[in-house]
Each structure stands twice: as structure tokens, then as C-alpha cells.
């Protein structure tokens, strides 16, 4: 059903006065489109299936009803959370837990994050005290259940966030197992930037045909689409693509650069280190402590560039981030949408730039069409005036031979190389070093 007109007050949506006061204290006074659409149904106890763009306020769309529900329920017990939120990645779980901890603490609720990569022993200790809301990744939740330290028998509401990503990552059986472990009476809410059949099936699984489901589709609002600019940067080949990345990464402001594989992330990180660019990198094999340290360093402005796989696509929440770069075209339109949603958040403006080799242009245009995006196309090359102007790109600086820049923030490992690495892994001894092209000096 179409969302109602935006309301200027949470009260009009049925939000309890106590929670309105909590939100006001945090300077949250105007609901977003997805919150306007879903809050009345969620407060009414209906199952909710909602599709909305990233950065549109989905966390509070399910977080506010959870807080309201638990405020009027029996006290929590150790090992028995009263609300369960399932997240596809640790980074997104961190983000959700942080948001809900703010409003939950004011309401006297305890929010606990249970994700892979953290100490199981520590999590067992934390579960020995009453827990109101558990934010989990599927694998760790099942592990804790098998150990007998986590039970879902008292869950009053279960939320599946970014359901399509959970399905794409192969977690759907694990998610279904967790949903089915909750009482049949538990309210279900499924939120995602895109909705496929697998995601929609979570809301209907083992439900009576008469069960009412409130379905909402909130399209990219004027706060996102109008303020998000899309650029297709055409380059000749891989060498020029890497040089263009280095020029963009040398800009004054922060940016996130997405790559399609762990190996590609490491290659780009080493290549950019050669130009003394302050950066961090993330992929699935990095430890949880390192990943959190890198994200914190980026959020605090200690590093200017974050090179990452899709592991962080839905765990970065920085309102001021104004540029997302696809170093390579993503595999599908849904991935493009999720990556791009890291910019133009909370009403801010932003730019999404996708670097496309000439041989990839037709496929890239099809991908953009599938995402419902009209992109400006322009030729990109080191020093090209329009490219420099549109992206704020700058000529990279060569790092000193005795200088090593950590590509992982405080927890990362440095890289040294006299010849400087290229993104293809070659150096001066082994082949060509990718350097920005320079024009010929004019004779006087």
C-alpha cells in the first residue's frame, strides 16, 4: 500500500509520549517516509513487510515499536531476550545496536549485540543478566542456542533486517531456523532495500493464510534521489581505472571505495599506500576488532579513504559522507543500490561514481537501468579537467621510500615497496608501475 503523507510529529503515528520525549532529547523530531508508512501498523501488532532505500530510517522504523512493546511487557530474564533482530553482517549489527541502545537505555531496556568474531565466553557472561533486545548474526545466535545460553522462547517480536542480503549470502535456512524458534505469536517485521521472493517468504512462513501482513514500498524519496548524483566514469583499461581511483582517493574529503573481492581490496589498498593516502580496508577475513577499529577511525576522520568489499555496504552510517566509488561495476543492480546508499543519507547530498572500462559500458548501462538510475557519463583520466572538477580529484603524492602507511588503521599492517605496488601486484622490478599520466611540458 502507498505510504501516507509525511507527518511532522511522531505522536500522530501513535508513538507513546514517553518515547516521543526520548526521541526529542536526541533531536529526532520528524519521522522519515518509511517510519510514517510502517509505525502505525507496527504499533497495532501487525506483521510488517517493508521495502525502503538504505539510509531512509529503517532502524528506527522497527526500533521504536520494539521499545514501545517491551515497555508494556513483563520484565526480561537472563538468556531470554524479549525481542530479536537478525542482521546479515557484524557491521550492521553494531550500527543497529548503537541506535537502539540510545533509545533503549532511556527507556530502561538492555540491548545486547551477539555476533560472530566476538568472544563466546564474554557473550555467555552478558547473557547471564536480563536482556531485552538481542541483535544477532545468524551463525552466532545458533551457536549460543546450541550451547544452551540463549533461548528465544520469550521473544515477543522478531525483526529481519536487510532480508534480501541474508538470502543472497545463503543465510536464509539459518534465519528461518531462528524465526521458527520464536513463539508463533511473536510479531514479525521484515525490512530491506529490495524485496525478493525469499525475503517475502520470511513473513509468511508457517503463518495462517488469514494472518494480516502490512506491506509497504517506500521508493527513493526526494531526500535521497534528488540529492544523489550518479556518474559513470569511462576509462580505457584497468591501468587507467586504477590511476583514476588514486586521483579520487587523493581528494580533500572522505570517500568509500567498493571492490568486488577481497583480493581486489588488498591490491587497491597497497596501490593507494604507494601514494601516501590515509586509508583503511575491510573484507570478510579481517578480525572483528580490526574491522571495528577501521570503521571507528573512518568515522572519526582519522583516515580519509575506506576500501572495502560489500561486507561494510550496510554497516557504514556517516551522514557527512558525500562520495561513494565503485572501483569496479558491481555484480547486480541490488548491490549497486546498497553500496550507493552509504551517501546522501539523512537528507544530505552525495555523489556515486562507478568506474567503467570501455568494454564494460553496455553491461554497466543495463545495471543502472535495473537500479532505476539515470547516470551522467563522462570520460575520466588523470588530470582531465572535467573529471577533476566533478570529483574534486587531485594529483596523488608519491610516498617516501622509507615511509609506510598502515592500510588498516591502527590495527592494520603496513606495506613497503621501493617501486611502489600497482593494483595488478607489479612493482618496479617486476613490471610497470601505475602512475598518473602527465602532459608534456610546453617549450618556452
Amino acid at each position: 500500500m502507498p505510504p501516507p503523507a509525511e507527518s511532522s510529529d511522531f505522536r500522530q503515528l501513535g508513538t507513546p509520549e514517553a518515547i516521543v520525549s526520548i526521541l526529542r532529547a536526541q533531536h529526532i523530531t520528524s519521522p522519515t517516509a518509511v517510519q510514517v508508512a510502517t509505525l502505525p501498523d507496527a504499533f497495532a501488532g501487525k506483521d510488517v513487510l517493508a521495502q525502503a532505500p538504505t539510509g531512509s530510517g529503517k532502524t528506527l522504523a522497527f526500533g521504536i515499536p520494539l521499545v514501545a512493546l517491551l515497555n508494556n511487557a513483563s520484565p526480561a530474564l537472563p538468556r531470554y531476550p524479549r525481542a530479536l533482530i537478525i542482521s546479515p553482517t557484524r557491521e550492521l549489527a553494531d550500527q543497529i545496536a548503537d541506535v537502539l541502545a540510545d533509545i533503549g537505555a532511556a527507556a530502561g531496556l538492555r540491548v545486547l549485540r551477539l555476533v560472530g568474531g566476538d568472544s563466546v565466553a564474554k557473550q555467555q557472561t552478558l547473557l547471564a543478566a536480563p536482556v531485552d533486545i538481542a541483535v544477532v548474526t545468524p551463525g552466532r545466535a545458533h551457536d549460543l542456542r546450541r550451547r544452551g545460553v540463549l533461548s528465544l522462547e520469550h521473544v515477543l517480536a522478531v525483526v529481519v533486517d536487510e532480508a534480501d542480503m541474508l538470502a543472497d549470502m545463503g543465510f536464509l535456512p539459518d534465519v528461518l531456523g531462528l524465526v521458527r524458534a520464536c513463539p508463533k505469536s511473536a510479531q514479525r517485521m521484515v525490512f530491506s532495500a529490495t524485496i525478493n521472493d525469499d525475503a517475502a517468504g520470511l513473513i509468511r512462513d508457517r503463518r495462517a493464510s488469514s494472518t494480516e501482513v502490512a506491506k509497504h514500498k517506500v521508493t527513493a524519496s526526494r531526500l535521497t534521489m534528488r540529492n544523489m548524483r550518479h556518474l559513470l566514469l569511462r576509462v580505457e583499461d584497468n591501468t587507467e581505472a586504477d590511476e583514476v581511483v588514486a586521483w579520487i582517493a587523493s581528494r580533500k574529503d572522505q570517500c568509500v571505495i567498493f571492490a568486488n573481492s577481497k583480493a581486489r581490496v588488498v591490491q587497491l589498498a597497497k596501490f593507494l599506500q604507494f601514494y601516501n593516502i590515509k586509508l583503511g580496508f575491510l573484507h570478510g577475513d579481517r578480525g572483528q576488532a580490526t574491522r571495528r577499529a577501521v570503521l571507528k577511525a573512518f568515522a572519526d576522520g582519522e583516515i580519509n579513504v575506506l576500501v572495502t568489499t560489500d561486507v561494510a555496504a550496510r554497516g557504514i552510517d556517516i551522514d557527512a559522507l558525500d562520495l561513494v566509488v565503485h572501483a569496479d561495476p558491481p555484480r547486480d543492480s541490488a548491490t549497486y543500490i546498497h553500496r550507493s546508499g552509504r551517501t546522501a543519507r539523512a537528507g544530505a547530498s552525495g555523489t556515486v561514481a562507478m568506474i567503467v572500462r570501455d568494454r564494460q559500458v553496455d553491461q554497466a548501462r543495463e545495471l543502472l537501468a535495473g537500479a532505476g538510475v539515470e547516470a551522467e557519463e563522462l570520460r575520466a583520466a588523470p588530470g582531465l579537467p572535467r573529471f577533476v572538477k566533478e570529483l574534486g580529484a587531485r594529483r596523488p603524492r608519491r610516498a617516501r621510500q622509507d615511509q609506510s602507511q598502515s592500510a588498516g588503521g591502527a590495527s592494520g599492517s603496513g606495506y613497503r615497496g621501493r617501486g611502489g605496488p600497482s593494483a595488478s601486484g607489479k612493482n618496479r622490478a617486476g613490471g610497470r608501475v601505475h602512475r598518473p599520466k602527465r602532459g608534456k611540458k610546453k617549450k618556452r
Side-chain angles (χ1 to χ4, degrees):
M1 59 179 291
E6 289 195 20
S7 169
S8 60
D9 196 331
F10 280 100
R11 291 187 188 86
Q12 299 176 26
L13 304 174
T15 308
E17 184 61 36
I19 298 178
V20 172
S21 298
I22 293 172
L23 295 172
R24 188 189 304 115
Q26 298 180 23
H27 308 288
I28 303 171
T29 56
S30 299
T32 65
V34 67
Q35 293 160 13
V36 171
T38 61
L39 283 179
D41 289 323
F43 287 137
K46 298 178 182 178
D47 289 347
V48 174
L49 176 64
Q51 176 180 345
T54 53
S56 59
K58 293 193 295 293
T59 302
L60 285 180
F62 59 75
I64 292 172
L66 290 183
V67 173
L69 174 66
L70 300 186
N71 266 347
N72 297 317
S74 301
L77 298 174
R79 300 193 304 115
Y80 291 87
R82 298 187 295 162
L84 178 72
I85 302 172
I86 306 170
S87 163
T89 67
R90 291 171 280 188
E91 286 72 24
L92 182 57
D94 285 347
Q95 177 185 320
I96 294 169
D98 288 343
V99 171
L100 296 191
D102 290 338
I103 62 173
L109 302 178
R110 184 167 179 253
V111 180
L112 192 59
R113 180 188 60 236
L114 303 170
V115 301
D118 286 349
S119 166
V120 172
K122 182 178 180 180
Q123 290 175 348
Q124 289 177 334
T125 301
L126 292 172
L127 283 165
V131 53
D132 295 288
I133 301 174
V135 185
V136 307
T137 49
R140 179 52 56 91
H142 279 295
D143 185 16
L144 294 172
R145 289 184 64 231
R146 284 192 293 269
R147 294 170 184 265
V149 297
L150 173 67
S151 173
L152 305 181
E153 294 178 4
H154 292 185
V155 168
L156 301 175
V158 55
V159 176
V160 181
D161 195 21
E162 303 295 7
D164 60 338
M165 186 178 185
L166 283 160
D168 291 343
M169 294 171 70
F171 290 149
L172 191 58
D174 291 333
V175 174
L176 279 173
L178 293 175
V179 171
R180 291 172 178 176
C182 298
K184 291 183 178 180
S185 59
Q187 182 183 14
R188 296 181 186 178
M189 291 183 273
V190 176
F191 286 78
S192 191
T194 58
I195 296 292
N196 54 28
D197 291 340
D198 289 333
L202 290 170
I203 206 79
R204 286 291 189 188
D205 182 69
R206 295 188 177 180
R207 281 291 206 239
S209 58
S210 59
T211 303
E212 184 176 1
V213 177
K215 299 179 181 180
H216 300 279
K217 182 177 181 179
V218 179
T219 57
S221 68
R222 58 181 180 275
L223 293 180
T224 54
M225 284 305 298
R226 189 181 67 181
N227 295 345
M228 186 184 292
R229 185 185 184 199
H230 298 266
L231 298 176
L232 190 157
L233 306 181
R234 294 189 59 165
V235 297
E236 291 183 0
D237 52 27
N238 291 339
T239 298
E240 192 166 71
D242 294 336
E243 292 171 345
V244 164
V245 170
W247 275 69
I248 295 174
S250 299
R251 67 198 292 267
K252 180 180 179 181
D253 298 319
Q254 288 184 307
C255 66
V256 174
I257 300 173
F258 283 103
N260 290 341
S261 68
K262 290 179 283 189
R264 176 68 167 147
V265 164
V266 173
Q267 289 168 351
L268 279 174
K270 289 181 178 180
F271 178 53
L272 296 177
Q273 281 180 297
F274 178 61
Y275 293 109
N276 198 28
I277 293 170
K278 294 181 179 180
L279 63 92
F281 70 92
L282 292 175
H283 55 67
D285 287 347
R286 305 215 76 185
Q288 183 66 6
T290 298
R291 290 160 70 169
R292 285 179 182 151
V294 171
L295 284 174
K296 185 178 186 301
F298 187 68
D300 292 345
E302 297 174 8
I303 54 178
N304 223 40
V305 176
L306 178 62
V307 186
T308 180
T309 58
D310 295 318
V311 70
R314 308 187 199 196
I316 302 171
D317 189 11
I318 301 173
D319 291 345
L321 182 65
D322 67 348
L323 178 62
V324 166
V325 178
H326 303 266
D328 312 292
R331 295 181 177 87
D332 51 50
S333 298
T335 303
Y336 181 90
I337 293 171
H338 298 315
R339 290 178 177 179
S340 302
R342 298 310 98 196
T343 189
R345 299 174 71 84
S349 60
T351 298
V352 179
M354 180 168 60
I355 299 174
V356 180
R357 291 79 172 158
D358 285 336
R359 66 180 184 275
Q360 300 171 319
V361 170
D362 289 341
Q363 297 94 318
R365 288 171 179 164
E366 291 178 5
L367 182 146
L368 291 169
V373 168
E374 293 184 7
E376 303 173 45
E377 294 189 19
L378 63 106
R379 176 62 64 177
L384 202 63
R386 188 183 172 196
F387 158 66
V388 170
K389 179 181 178 181
E390 298 290 348
L391 276 299
R394 298 193 299 189
R395 182 188 299 278
R397 295 182 302 165
R398 281 279 301 274
R400 297 196 306 271
Q401 292 181 4
D402 62 345
Q403 185 174 9
S404 176
Q405 176 67 36
S406 170
S411 304
S413 58
Y415 178 89
R416 296 180 184 271
R418 288 182 56 83
S422 74
S424 62
K426 297 181 180 180
N427 57 28
R428 183 174 298 175
R432 178 175 59 183
V433 176
H434 298 338
R435 300 187 181 91
K437 298 176 181 178
R438 301 187 180 185
K440 295 181 180 179
K441 294 183 179 180
K442 295 182 179 179
K443 295 182 179 180
R444 295 185 177 180

